[in-house]
Amino acid sequence: MASFDKKLSSLLVKAGCVTKEQCEEFLAQAQSGGKKLSEVLVEKQAVTKHDLLGVIAAESNTPPVDLEKIKVADEVSQILPEEVATSYGVVPLDKIGDFLTLAVVNPFDVLKLDDIRIITGCELRTVVALESQVETVLAELYKSVEGKVDEILDGFDEGDVELSENKQEAESGDMDLAAVSDGAAPVVKMINKIIFDAVTSKVSDIHVEPFEHKVLVRFRKDGSLLKVFEPPKRLQNSMVSRLKIMSKLDIAEKRKPQDGKFQMKLGKQKIDFRVSTLPVVWGEKVVLRILDSSNLALDIHDLGFETKCMEDYLWACAQPYGKILVTGPTGSGKSTTLYSAIKHISSPEINIVTVEDPVEYTMEGINQVPISNARGLTFAAALRSILRQDPDVILLGEIRDKETIEIATKAALTGHLVLSTLHTNDAPSTITRMIDMGLDPFMVASSVLVIAAQRLAKRVCKNCREPIEIPTERLVELGLPQVDIEAHEGEATFFKAVGCSKCANGYKGRFALLETLRMTEAIKRLIIAGGSVIELKKFAVEEEGMITLRRAGLRNAMRGVTSVEEVLRCTMAD
């Protein structure tokens, strides 16, 4: 910062705060003592800190700030890496939308500010602060990692979290030495704290990721990954070993992926966790999927689908036999939609059996079969056995191969209601996917009741959202029919995501978008005639009134539930 000290001395002389001779003397004292010029000037009472700030602020046309009177939230440390903030002498104060408020020592160094703008991807709103205050705040904001570990564990009551089966550790014969060393107890407590924070924050996944010089813990909330913690690199092996012990995995095996599960009790609530380990360059990455049945919206009427989509889905659930298919990518909420249908159908007079890999949520009164490829219990093998168990309703976690889809289709045609999932982009393309898997078009048309394509979209935060105007021409261009625009004329309110302390980048929570293709007689004839995906979709939209995923998303944007940007992110153009 020597160049800034010279700049500051010239500014003070120019402002008449000190003479040139005095400034040269103070500058020499600062250099010999290894101090900052500003620090020496305040110590010698040559100028006050307010005068210093005033001179720099006036010259750079930047608002001044007294960091001693500001409480900087710990969360802002995630905005800028510690090494960048310390090297550049800046303190991130707040981030709203794409605007980052930054306290800087040297507002004249535009090159460094450009670097930060590129690193963060944000527009900067700079304020000027004293160098000594910036250093103090940075030291507090970016504490040593060991200090952070001690801090987050202080006062944490381990009684809040416990393994449902205390025998799990005892049953694991071979323990890693790192897991039973002197640091084991803090690691156990730290893992419990991470899990406790994840569950109370209602996240869906916990990622423990090893890198060359650090370990990251990230939570997936509302579909986005957020960095929450950076434990010491030396605790990496102990953390992985602890998670393996909890999941009854082989802690000596570090070169192959492993899958396991465990259950923990948080207060009176039992939470299931599905664990996956994966060898990477710098160790083993561990991902925990949180399966909290209390977060599962099982009432089918609470799913919030469009009226027509809900009518199609409920109609299919009321049929005595046939196939209901829910399609979409991993993490699009297909399981929730299927479980809701099972809950809706369930009654003491109906025999319901599910085949899942793995069983994510246990349900009272439902026979649930976990797949085990190691024992030869595949989807197809389980389905054959189930058909000899006199079922009324069958839920298949996923249709993966020709054998499974053939058995499921025959079951649907012989008096069973079959619910399952496929990985396709939309409802019409599911038809051609099944034909490609080996089904005859006539079998597809005869067995399927409804196909529902699903996506999860983020809800815009009601606390910070801002209304915006979108021209009608733009809405039509995006794929919203004129009939929807006219139906909501004068009522539609569009919002944009902003971002505040109560949300993640302007969004809070998620909801489902559904596109349902009901097998009407006209659709069946088109399938048997060999209609293409484009022909099927065009006919379904124009003749059958099918609401596409894009249209459903834009309808929700009109109601202020989400933003147009989020709809464009999670749906394809029609």
Side-chain angles (χ1 to χ4, degrees):
M1 300 293 286
S3 59
F4 176 63
D5 282 351
K6 291 179 181 179
K7 175 75 174 177
L8 180 59
S9 64
S10 64
L11 291 179
L12 291 172
V13 172
K14 178 182 176 182
C17 297
V18 291
T19 64
K20 184 176 180 181
E21 292 73 17
Q22 286 176 316
C23 213
E24 288 176 351
E25 181 184 345
F26 291 134
L27 193 57
Q29 290 179 20
Q31 291 174 345
S32 62
K35 295 182 178 181
K36 313 293 187 296
L37 176 59
S38 58
E39 192 177 348
V40 173
L41 288 167
V42 174
E43 283 179 0
K44 299 295 184 180
Q45 297 183 348
V47 293
T48 65
K49 63 180 182 182
H50 297 295
D51 290 336
L52 273 174
L53 275 177
V55 169
I56 299 171
E59 185 67 25
S60 63
N61 196 27
T62 306
V65 64
D66 186 352
L67 291 181
E68 291 179 356
K69 297 180 180 179
I70 293 179
K71 172 63 177 174
V72 181
D74 294 336
E75 293 78 25
V76 302
S77 63
Q78 299 180 22
I79 298 173
L80 206 60
E82 179 180 1
E83 57 272 16
V84 175
T86 305
S87 173
Y88 286 29
V90 298
V91 177
L93 298 179
D94 196 13
K95 181 174 179 285
I96 299 177
D98 292 331
F99 290 90
L100 174 63
T101 302
L102 202 67
V104 302
V105 175
N106 184 3
F108 307 103
D109 195 340
V110 293
L111 294 179
K112 283 188 176 181
L113 294 178
D114 283 341
D115 289 346
I116 296 173
R117 189 177 287 108
I118 293 170
I119 291 169
T120 60
C122 295
E123 291 297 320
L124 301 184
R125 289 174 173 168
T126 55
V127 293
V128 65
L130 288 180
E131 193 169 356
S132 58
Q133 292 182 352
V134 166
E135 290 180 349
T136 301
V137 172
L138 286 177
E140 179 68 23
L141 191 60
Y142 298 99
K143 292 178 181 176
S144 67
V145 174
E146 278 76 7
K148 284 187 177 181
V149 172
D150 294 337
E151 183 180 320
I152 69 166
L153 297 182
D154 283 345
F156 174 61
D157 184 5
E158 284 191 276
D160 291 338
V161 183
E162 60 177 295
L163 278 172
S164 293
E165 294 182 6
N166 296 324
K167 297 179 182 179
Q168 285 192 355
E169 286 190 45
E171 290 173 356
S172 184
D174 50 344
M175 273 199 170
D176 190 277
L177 290 177
V180 293
S181 65
D182 292 338
V187 166
V188 171
K189 197 172 184 180
M190 182 170 65
I191 292 294
N192 287 350
K193 177 69 166 68
I194 290 170
I195 290 173
F196 180 81
D197 288 348
V199 173
T200 52
S201 300
K202 298 188 181 300
V203 306
S204 60
D205 301 86
I206 304 170
H207 291 239
V208 181
E209 303 169 310
F211 296 96
E212 184 176 7
H213 301 297
K214 63 182 179 180
V215 181
L216 287 184
V217 177
R218 298 196 290 171
F219 291 169
R220 185 177 293 281
K221 186 173 183 180
D222 295 338
S224 300
L225 277 172
L226 306 170
K227 175 188 169 185
V228 293
F229 185 43
E230 191 174 318
K233 178 70 175 177
R234 61 181 175 80
L235 294 182
Q236 173 184 318
N237 291 336
S238 298
M239 292 174 66
V240 173
S241 295
R242 171 60 184 169
L243 290 168
K244 284 184 175 181
I245 289 169
M246 295 168 70
S247 311
K248 294 185 178 180
L249 299 178
D250 182 0
I251 62 174
E253 180 56 74
K254 300 182 179 180
R255 294 172 297 177
K256 294 180 182 178
Q258 297 186 70
D259 294 299
K261 61 182 178 180
F262 65 90
Q263 187 180 81
M264 292 196 82
K265 186 177 180 183
L266 281 81
K268 297 181 180 179
Q269 187 180 10
K270 288 185 178 181
I271 310 291
D272 292 305
F273 295 84
R274 196 169 72 206
V275 182
S276 173
T277 69
L278 180 70
V280 293
V281 175
W282 303 111
E284 288 179 278
K285 175 178 177 178
V286 185
V287 176
L288 289 77
R289 168 65 59 89
I290 301 175
L291 306 172
D292 183 2
S293 58
S294 66
N295 290 336
L296 195 65
L298 288 178
D299 190 334
I300 200 167
H301 297 285
D302 293 339
L303 297 178
F305 299 148
E306 295 296 313
T307 304
K308 183 185 183 305
C309 299
M310 182 62 77
E311 288 173 356
D312 289 344
Y313 198 54
L314 289 174
W315 169 83
C317 291
Q319 302 309 303
Y321 59 88
K323 257 191 311 190
I324 300 173
L325 296 174
V326 181
T327 75
T330 302
S332 59
K334 299 188 300 293
S335 295
T336 300
T337 301
L338 287 178
Y339 277 118
S340 299
I342 291 295
K343 185 71 174 180
H344 179 73
I345 295 168
S346 178
S347 76
E349 295 81 25
I350 296 177
N351 177 22
I352 301 178
V353 185
T354 75
V355 187
E356 303 169 68
D357 182 21
V359 174
E360 294 190 352
Y361 300 100
T362 56
M363 298 176 65
E364 189 69 28
I366 308 298
N367 303 289
Q368 295 174 273
V369 181
I371 288 301
S372 175
N373 291 319
R375 300 198 305 269
L377 186 60
T378 62
F379 275 108
L383 189 50
R384 284 197 199 92
S385 298
I386 286 171
L387 290 174
R388 293 192 288 269
Q389 292 275 320
D390 186 31
D392 297 300
V393 178
I394 302 169
L395 186 150
L396 281 173
E398 185 182 347
I399 293 177
R400 298 177 178 174
D401 51 50
K402 180 180 179 181
E403 186 180 13
T404 304
I405 197 170
E406 285 179 347
I407 300 171
T409 301
K410 289 175 183 176
L413 291 171
T414 54
H416 306 88
L417 185 62
V418 180
L419 298 88
S420 190
T421 68
L422 274 174
H423 291 287
T424 56
N425 292 326
D426 58 14
S429 63
T430 307
I431 303 294
T432 55
R433 170 71 175 142
M434 288 189 287
I435 294 172
D436 290 341
M437 291 177 75
L439 280 188
D440 184 85
F442 176 77
M443 297 287 280
V444 174
S446 302
S447 62
V448 175
L449 294 169
V450 71
I451 300 171
Q454 184 165 311
R455 296 291 186 279
L456 289 181
K458 299 176 186 177
R459 293 181 183 272
V460 70
C461 176
K462 293 183 178 179
N463 184 61
C464 61
R465 64 184 184 180
E466 291 183 0
I468 57 172
E469 292 290 335
I470 299 180
T472 301
E473 297 77 17
R474 175 59 176 158
L475 294 174
V476 173
E477 181 185 329
L478 292 174
L480 191 64
Q482 191 70 38
V483 63
D484 285 353
I485 297 172
E486 292 172 356
H488 293 83
E489 192 172 358
E491 301 175 4
T493 306
F494 292 93
F495 292 94
K496 71 174 182 178
V498 178
C500 65
S501 59
K502 295 183 179 180
C503 66
N505 298 320
Y507 298 97
K508 188 175 182 180
R510 291 190 292 177
F511 68 101
L513 299 175
L514 204 69
E515 168 185 296
T516 54
L517 176 62
R518 185 166 165 175
M519 286 294 123
T520 62
E521 290 301 321
I523 293 289
K524 289 179 181 180
R525 286 195 296 270
L526 188 56
I527 293 171
I528 294 170
S532 66
V533 174
I534 296 174
E535 291 171 336
L536 281 168
K537 186 168 187 175
K538 183 179 180 182
F539 184 85
V541 171
E542 295 178 358
E543 304 298 331
E544 302 292 339
M546 184 180 81
I547 298 174
T548 64
L549 288 167
R550 173 61 62 86
R551 183 180 175 187
L554 291 172
R555 280 186 171 190
N556 279 280
M558 292 179 76
R559 302 183 190 115
V561 178
T562 188
S563 67
V564 171
E565 291 75 19
E566 174 61 12
V567 174
L568 299 180
R569 182 196 67 83
C570 66
T571 64
M572 295 286 288
D574 294 333

